[in-house]
Amino acid sequence: MHTKADGVVSGGYPLSSEQDSNRLRDERLRKLNALRQSGTNPYPYKFGRSHLAGALQEKYADLAPGTETEDVVSVCGRIMNERNTWMFVDLVDESGKIQLFCHKESLSEDDLKQLKLLDKGDFLGATGTIRRTKAGELSIKVKGYEILGKSLQPLPDSWQGLTDVEARYRHRYVDMLINPHVRDTLRKRALTIRAIRQYLDERGYLEIETPVLQVEAGGADARPFVTHHNALDLELFMRIATELHLKRLIVGGFERVYEIGRIFRNEGISTRHNPEFTMLEFYCAYGDYNEMMDFTEAMLRSVAQSVTGSASLNYAGNVIDFGKPWRRLRMIDAIKDVTGRDFDKATEVEAARQIAKELKVDISQAETRGAMVNEVFETCVEPTLIQPTFIIDYPVETSPLTKVHRSREGEVERFELFVAGRELANGYSELTDPEDQRQRLEEQARKKAAGNLEAMPLDLDFLLAMEYGMPPTMGIGIGIDRLVMLLTDSASIRDVIAFPTVKPLAKS
RNA sequence: GCGCCCGUAGCUCAGUGGUAGAGCACUCGGCUUUUAACCGAUUGGUCGUGCGUUCGACUCGCACCGGGCGCACCA
């Protein structure tokens, strides 16, 4: 990226700036002015459309090649291509494409002349009769047209498209308009969220919004973004989870609540991480983690079916089947299956350390036995979990908000869902014992005081809420972005976010 | 934060020490029922930025800016 002499910052693709002139833009400005001088408003107010392109393609699917009709229609959209010196124009709207046939037989001399002032990328409305060409292309024989929005920037090559990754994310609107699959992915994202809402709403869940700005950011192990409230002169944090507030709602008498909300975590950016992302969390009173696994499995199966039309899908070359019953496996048993090592027989830290060493797993960050078990699991087992698999019963040290296991010492009733080697969801029998919760959060606070930036702060109001009494509760968090990645076979989280975070270009 | 790689025309890309190239797009002309339309001619670049090395740098070195992938952190 370089800075131009006039101080305008330019990227791999031109920024639209009044100062950023180049000859391609100048040429379009020339046409814009010519339009204005001929009395045409290049940016009019409305257009009366009779049909979407897709609807016409469907309606006239059986019209034979070489057939003319008297059916008059009006369409509008963006000019994406032109052939035969504007005799044929590809007009694209949200539903698809329709070809315009601009011939001297049906257009006035002025209209024919003004075609030369159009460019690819302009918005156009056209009225004419439906016909299908001998070559089989459904077309509109244009009797009149109106420019609906002049484009000043050249579109990327219609054949090669826009592939430069940086340009695609920096100017996502160009990416969307030139690469149809980008729009398709975002459409499927919307369908996914709609399907989830519908599924939960139909089952008595209530969607409630909880604060984004918080005095303490808790509910997950993550570094928050810090911001500031001027009037209160108060340091505030952007939320890293919705968990602690949704559980307050359970205390407050709501029995089934959820939130689909933006979460902010001040961490690195990668193909699987965006600083802001969308998480679904939901909580249901009187259920445990077993019931939650049943519910989650049925819900995601239904969502996959309604978004993609099938319960089995392709991701990164793997066929992933949401239809078959999902495996449920104790974490320690999963490790045993893959490595042959048995942590049930390594109850002391030193024994666990020994196993990790033998497996060449880096445990330099792990202090407790539980953390070591978790490291071994993540390194050795996680990448092997391609088909949907619930890993259950986590070491207590790694899960400060989870109820202790009803029968297994040192474990908690927690599960995580893995698909395509990645974590997709995290749920548990919620910890509801205020004294146990206090001890666990105090332990977290000690870690935080000792310099662990991801440890949870001590949220005294949350503890107070729990002291008022909390029913048994099952809860879960599902990463919506990663779910959409799976459903759309997207390699990067940025592909499923309309405007992913990009570093701004330096001002000179 | 660390490692490897990348940045050349509006787009997609060649060019590895000796005058900056191609296809498409744009402009002009021709042609006119096309499907990446076709034919012809032109135009378009401080080769990401800066500083070095060199007789000479797109090419080599260093720094910086931006990006990709992997690791780390995590969802």
Side-chain angles (χ1 to χ4, degrees), chain A residues 143 154 193 288 307 372 393 457 462 465:
Chain A
K143 308 233 186 287
I193 291 170
D288 66 3
V307 172
M372 291 170 193
D393 299 348
F462 174 66

Side-chain angles (χ1 to χ4, degrees), chain A residues 257-308:
Chain A
V257 292
Y258 74 98
E259 181 167 11
I260 297 173
R262 202 70 61 83
I263 300 295
F264 307 86
R265 295 190 183 174
N266 207 338
E267 289 157 355
I269 295 175
S270 78
T271 49
R272 290 179 290 283
H273 302 85
N274 198 63
E276 52 178 304
F277 63 101
T278 301
M279 185 138 81
L280 161 69
E281 285 194 40
F282 60 95
Y283 294 83
C284 176
Y286 309 111
D288 66 3
Y289 77 143
N290 292 310
E291 188 181 341
M292 183 55 100
M293 281 187 275
D294 296 340
F295 188 96
T296 301
E297 184 171 340
M299 180 179 82
L300 292 181
R301 188 172 289 141
S302 162
V303 168
Q305 178 77 42
S306 67
V307 172
T308 69

Side-chain angles (χ1 to χ4, degrees), chain A residues 7-24:
Chain A
V8 174
V9 177
S10 175
Y13 191 75
L15 298 182
S16 86
S17 153
E18 53 223 314
Q19 296 171 70
D20 181 21
S21 60
N22 55 55
R23 84 183 196 294
L24 294 168

Side-chain angles (χ1 to χ4, degrees), chain A residues 343-369:
Chain A
F343 275 103
D344 278 334
K345 291 174 184 160
T347 51
E348 300 303 319
V349 176
E350 276 318 309
R353 192 189 307 277
Q354 189 57 37
I355 291 178
K357 266 186 189 164
E358 286 167 17
L359 294 170
K360 296 188 168 62
V361 173
D362 177 16
I363 48 163
S364 55
Q365 305 292 320
E367 290 169 4
T368 61
R369 171 184 173 274

Side-chain angles (χ1 to χ4, degrees), chain A residues 145-166:
Chain A
Y145 68 86
E146 183 184 353
I147 184 155
L148 301 177
K150 187 76 189 149
S151 162
L152 299 181
Q153 293 288 345
L155 292 181
D157 189 288
S158 62
W159 184 245
Q160 304 284 357
L162 182 67
T163 60
D164 179 80
V165 179
E166 182 176 358

Side-chain angles (χ1 to χ4, degrees), chain A residues 458-486:
Chain A
L458 189 59
D459 186 334
L460 293 172
D461 182 71
F462 174 66
L463 288 173
L464 181 61
M466 198 172 284
E467 289 200 0
Y468 274 91
M470 189 169 167
T473 300
M474 62 182 189
I476 191 171
I478 300 178
I480 294 297
D481 311 84
R482 289 184 179 176
L483 175 61
V484 176
M485 285 171 72
L486 266 179

Side-chain angles (χ1 to χ4, degrees), chain A residues 131-144:
Chain A
R131 63 195 294 273
R132 191 178 287 282
T133 65
K134 280 179 194 157
E137 188 76 33
L138 188 69
S139 308
I140 296 169
K141 188 171 184 177
V142 177
K143 308 233 186 287

Side-chain angles (χ1 to χ4, degrees), chain A residues 46-53 73-77 92-95 126:
Chain A
K46 60 173 295 193
F47 182 80
R49 165 155 66 190
S50 73
H51 293 81
L52 284 165
V73 298
S74 293
V75 295
C76 50
V92 172
D93 65 25
E94 200 185 349
S95 70

